Amino acid sequence: MQRTGTGGRIERLIQASAWIDAALALLELELPQWRIRRIAYEAGEWHCALSRQRELPDWLDQSVETSHAELSLAILRAVVEARRETVFPKRTSVPAVACADKLLYARLCCDNFA
């Protein structure tokens, strides 16, 4: 991290024990395209959700959700999960196939509709 700008700001926040502000500054530094979608306290735990597109409804958005008893650690866990999502996107059960530009064969329908 840089000694100036956001990196220096994070160091000052850590020295001041401003853990929540430090976690939010780390989110801003490491993942500028991600934003906090929701923070909620329920049953003794803080729940934090990060999203790339907050304008989408919950059911359409692919957000990262984490929880922890401490708010700063819930945010930090969400940052780590979002970073992991950015570096290693989720793989589906069906492998993706690269589409060839030039096909070496012609498609032909062989069904007999008579």
Side-chain angles (χ1 to χ4, degrees):
M1 287 193 305
Q2 334 165 351
R3 288 273 178 208
T4 60
T6 308
R9 180 174 160 235
I10 292 173
E11 287 182 16
R12 288 190 301 277
L13 290 169
I14 291 172
Q15 290 173 356
S17 297
W19 304 116
I20 296 170
D21 292 333
L24 293 173
L26 185 64
L27 170 65
E28 180 184 332
L29 176 68
E30 288 291 319
L31 302 165
Q33 70 275 16
W34 289 80
R35 298 284 181 253
I36 292 181
R37 181 176 187 84
R38 181 175 54 88
I39 293 179
Y41 186 75
E42 182 179 325
E45 283 195 331
W46 286 97
H47 299 272
C48 179
L50 299 181
S51 173
R52 288 185 199 160
Q53 299 173 340
R54 291 184 344 182
E55 295 80 22
L56 290 177
D58 286 340
W59 57 277
L60 281 177
D61 188 25
Q62 294 180 357
S63 62
V64 172
E65 297 186 32
T66 59
S67 62
H68 196 275
E70 295 290 328
L71 177 57
S72 58
L73 293 178
I75 296 170
L76 190 58
R77 286 178 78 178
V79 169
V80 170
E81 288 298 318
R83 179 75 173 167
R84 183 179 297 154
E85 177 76 22
T86 304
V87 174
F88 304 110
K90 291 182 182 176
R91 307 224 187 249
T92 61
S93 60
V94 178
V97 177
C99 188
D101 290 337
K102 297 180 181 178
L103 296 175
L104 301 176
Y105 58 90
R107 295 184 182 129
L108 178 65
C109 181
C110 297
D111 290 339
N112 185 0
F113 295 107

